[in-house]
Amino acid sequence: MRQTADEHTPGTSYDAELRRHNEVLRRAVGFQPHDHVLDIGCGTGQTTRQAARTARAGSAFGVDVSAPAIERARDLARADGLRNVAFEHADAQVHRFPQERFDLAISRFGTMFFGDPVAAFANIGRALRPAGRLVMMVWQAGERNEWDVAIRQSIGGPVAGASGGPDPFSLADPPAVREILRAAGFADVAFTDVHEPVYYGPDVAAALDWVRGFMSTRELLKQLDPAAATRAGERLREVLAAHLNDDGVWFDSRAWIVAARRHRAGT
């Protein structure tokens, strides 16, 4: 259950929601000064700009399927005075990246919605130099994510993605992901557990607006009659209130950092 990266609610944002995860990913990637970095599903470009700041003698290139998010990313990069960063409105599954251009491909929850993950990761792999790295963060299973369980129990309905829509948990299973990446031309696939909370806003009202903006939340509420939707909203407000503490509304979550290398020919 995610909100698209270009949507903003007073009091919170996608970057604010993932503030703890962002720091974990940054440390795991370990950007180097001469790296040329490809950021998949970059949203408004926070992770891309971080890469550009560290890879001062290299570059950072972010792509996202949301045109408004890309426009915002460009504005923020200009405001920061970054000259080694660029953004493009593109679908990483099929975009014709320059071959063997990048040392590193990163993604913060931007790779779970590929229609054909093997083809998509193979396309990304071709953009990497031999032995180039892939480091991405993806959600673990829905039942391990308190935010998903709580929202579903409040509103009712199937697990996100179970009805055939976008599935934020499509890369949750390590053996399946390992096979996908191997088939796409990656080796040395490794998983690191990430146990950090997500932030939904400074108060219950902001958190409710934020959660109601999730695509899957909207779809579930649309399936209810007006009276049932009102009751679901009240239950959701109660759940959010139960997770309010002195610094806002937080929910437990579990994710993976998945790291791999482009397979070298002949090895």
Side-chain angles (χ1 to χ4, degrees):
M1 296 187 179
R2 311 304 322 132
Q3 185 146 323
T4 57
D6 57 302
E7 291 177 284
H8 295 273
T9 302
T12 192
S13 69
Y14 191 61
D15 290 336
E17 176 186 342
L18 299 173
R19 61 177 72 172
R20 299 280 189 90
H21 295 79
N22 193 67
E23 180 59 23
V24 172
L25 180 62
R26 186 189 63 79
R27 292 196 304 265
V29 170
F31 298 113
Q32 299 299 310
H34 289 83
D35 278 342
H36 294 281
V37 182
L38 171 62
D39 190 358
I40 305 298
C42 67
T44 56
Q46 182 186 50
T47 46
T48 326
R49 296 193 307 276
Q50 288 175 339
R53 290 188 193 101
T54 304
R56 296 179 301 277
S59 65
F61 180 56
V63 296
D64 199 281
V65 295
S66 168
I70 289 297
E71 285 305 310
R72 179 62 175 157
R74 288 170 176 157
D75 290 343
L76 292 170
R78 281 193 292 267
D80 285 352
L82 295 171
R83 298 180 180 275
N84 62 336
V85 64
F87 297 94
E88 186 159 346
H89 175 216
D91 185 347
Q93 300 180 87
V94 295
H95 183 69
R96 292 187 177 182
F97 296 109
Q99 293 201 10
E100 298 189 357
R101 170 71 177 85
F102 301 98
D103 303 291
L104 172 65
I106 65 169
S107 181
R108 188 187 66 185
F109 301 111
T111 57
M112 297 95 65
F113 305 113
F114 293 151
D116 183 341
V118 172
F121 284 114
N123 188 50
I124 293 166
R126 286 188 290 272
L128 290 173
R129 292 170 179 164
R133 294 189 298 143
L134 168 69
V135 183
M136 62 182 179
M137 186 173 279
V138 301
W139 295 116
Q140 293 188 28
E143 61 269 20
R144 303 204 74 194
N145 279 281
E146 183 185 39
W147 55 269
D148 182 63
V149 173
I151 293 170
R152 287 190 290 107
Q153 289 179 345
S154 299
I155 299 176
V159 175
S163 61
D167 182 4
F169 310 113
S170 67
L171 299 178
D173 181 50
V177 173
R178 189 173 282 110
E179 287 306 308
I180 288 170
L181 291 177
R182 286 175 176 169
F186 286 89
D188 302 327
V189 183
F191 296 80
T192 303
D193 179 50
V194 178
H195 189 188
E196 294 286 352
V198 291
Y199 173 75
Y200 279 174
D203 53 42
V204 173
L208 184 61
D209 284 345
W210 183 244
V211 173
R212 280 180 171 274
F214 294 173
M215 182 185 298
S216 51
T217 305
R218 293 197 302 266
E219 292 302 314
L220 286 173
L221 289 172
K222 283 181 183 178
Q223 297 171 18
L224 304 177
D225 62 59
T230 298
R231 291 192 297 271
E234 292 170 351
R235 290 193 299 270
L236 183 56
R237 182 184 293 273
E238 292 172 358
V239 169
L240 294 171
H243 287 78
L244 175 66
N245 57 39
D246 291 342
D247 59 347
V249 178
W250 296 83
F251 279 83
D252 191 37
S253 79
R254 298 299 281 264
W256 295 117
I257 286 180
V258 185
R261 288 189 178 274
R262 182 184 174 188
H263 185 72
R264 287 181 180 270
T267 63

